[in-house]
């Protein structure tokens, strides 16, 4: 009898996992209508308050997963920057604030280094340890693109004019985002269930049905902050699992991160946009 129960529970667990993975692997997108939207924050040096116009587009409900990226690799035999240069930067509890460790073994298959295991049981986590250039290669293969800085913010805000899509203060951030809960990074923090990345869609969505707009991984966007900035820079938004209220408070709707286009971090990822064909 116990044996049958174990078999039954195992089957239920497998079916549940399969259902979750299938749901998260669908190319689920949200339509953003063309029109004028407010973005930015008053007196913000990099992202001042302004009104922008965008054409209609579809944006992915979830961040791009390891499973989706693996299909790209399988189809193209593409080799990422981290695999070629062995220069991915990863985090280990005990490092000082904003300190990252170079791990020559880290890449998208081993996002925290070989010693911490691979992604076999994390196919529904966001892909990380990829560079901006790697993402452009994926987008070309998948016939999609990155959101612009403005498009990302419009969808993140979901119509809100406040610093967060849920209000002016970050009191509710734990409901919507996988972030670092402790004041420093000297010890591992799994108080929200995850030390590093979480499966996409693990937290509540914003009012437009988009998950992980804050936290989990920084999401690369296309575009420049200033026309004169270096062509080697890329921008990412939304904060990550590493960000905390005391350090890198970028899990909001207005801040914009900057990084080299060839850099690969274990807290960087992306979500895609599908353009609506013009008639």
């Amino acid at each position: 009898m116990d044996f049958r129960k174990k078999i039954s529970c195992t089957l239920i667990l497998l079916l549940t996992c399969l259902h979750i993975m299938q749901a998260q692997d669908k190319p689920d997108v949200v339509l953003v209508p063309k029109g004028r939207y407010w973005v930015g924050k008053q007196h913000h040096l990099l992202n001042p308050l302004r009104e922008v116009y965008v054409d209609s587009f579809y944006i992915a409900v979830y961040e791009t997963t390891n499973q989706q990226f693996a299909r790209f690799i399988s189809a193209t035999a593409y080799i990422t920057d981290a695999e070629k240069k062995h220069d991915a930067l990863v985090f280990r509890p005990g490092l000082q604030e904003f300190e990252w460790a170079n791990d020559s073994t880290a890449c998208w298959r081993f996002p925290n280094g070989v010693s911490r295991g691979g992604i076999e049981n994390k196919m529904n986590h966001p892909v990380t340890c990829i560079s901006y250039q790697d993402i452009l290669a994926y987008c070309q293969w998948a016939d999609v693109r990155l959101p612009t800085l403005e498009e990302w913010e419009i969808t993140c805000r979901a119509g809100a004019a406040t610093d967060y899509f849920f209000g002016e203060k970050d009191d509710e951030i734990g409901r919507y985002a996988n972030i670092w809960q402790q004041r420093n990074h000297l010890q591992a923090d799994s108080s929200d269930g995850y030390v590093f990345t979480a499966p996409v869609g693990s937290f509540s969505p914003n009012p437009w049905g988009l998950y992980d707009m804050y936290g989990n991984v920084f999401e690369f966007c296309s575009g420049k902050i200033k026309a004169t900035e270096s062509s080697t820079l890329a921008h990412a938004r939304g904060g990550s699992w590493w960000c905390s209220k005391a350090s890198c408070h970028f899990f909001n709707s207005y801040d914009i991160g900057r990084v080299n286009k060839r850099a690969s971090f274990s807290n960087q990822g992306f979500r895609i946009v599908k353009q609506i064909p013009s008639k």
Side-chain angles (χ1 to χ4, degrees), residues 41-61:
K41 182 178 173 67
Q42 194 169 14
H43 307 308
H44 196 287
L45 294 178
L46 298 180
N47 190 22
L49 184 66
R50 63 198 184 280
E51 189 179 30
V52 298
Y53 174 86
V54 296
D55 287 323
S56 300
F57 63 93
Y58 291 103
I59 188 164
V61 169

Side-chain angles (χ1 to χ4, degrees), residues 8-23:
S8 178
C9 290
T10 301
L11 287 173
I12 291 172
L13 179 60
L14 287 172
L15 289 172
T16 301
C17 291
L18 180 61
H19 174 74
I20 292 172
M21 291 186 69
Q22 287 176 338

Side-chain angles (χ1 to χ4, degrees), residues 79-245:
I79 302 175
T80 63
D81 276 340
E83 290 171 295
K84 289 185 289 188
K85 303 195 303 178
H86 306 288
D87 64 350
L89 293 170
V90 303
F91 172 76
R92 299 185 182 92
L95 295 176
Q96 297 297 322
E97 298 305 273
F98 299 102
E99 183 180 4
W100 292 76
N102 173 249
D103 190 324
S104 62
T105 70
C107 64
W108 74 275
R109 291 185 175 88
F110 300 94
N112 298 298
V114 169
S115 65
R116 291 183 177 271
I119 59 171
E120 294 82 6
N121 299 317
K122 297 181 178 179
M123 297 306 286
N124 59 346
H125 286 233
V127 62
T128 63
C129 273
I130 49 174
S131 71
Y132 181 83
Q133 293 300 130
D134 297 331
I135 294 169
L136 293 184
Y138 174 92
C139 288
Q140 183 177 15
W141 170 79
D143 194 24
V144 295
R145 64 175 176 84
L146 289 174
T148 67
L149 292 166
E150 291 80 14
E151 288 171 340
W152 184 93
E153 183 167 333
I154 289 166
T155 51
C156 175
R157 288 184 176 279
T162 48
D163 288 353
Y164 305 88
F165 55 68
F166 52 81
E168 283 293 353
K169 297 183 178 180
D170 64 5
D171 297 347
E172 295 184 65
I173 192 66
R175 175 183 173 187
Y176 299 99
N178 170 27
I179 63 168
W180 198 268
Q181 302 290 334
Q182 304 302 319
R183 291 190 59 82
N184 59 52
H185 291 75
L186 297 180
Q187 294 182 343
D189 171 34
S190 60
S191 53
D192 64 0
Y194 309 96
V195 177
F196 303 109
T197 58
V200 297
S202 295
F203 295 77
S204 297
N206 76 358
W208 285 5
L210 298 164
Y211 293 85
D212 303 307
M213 295 304 294
Y214 303 140
N216 219 13
V217 293
F218 268 105
E219 298 181 13
F220 277 111
C221 299
S222 64
K224 293 184 175 183
I225 296 176
K226 297 180 180 179
T228 57
E229 73 183 20
S230 171
S231 60
T232 64
L233 284 180
H235 300 286
R237 308 199 64 176
S240 74
W241 55 263
W242 188 93
C243 296
S244 69
K245 295 183 178 182

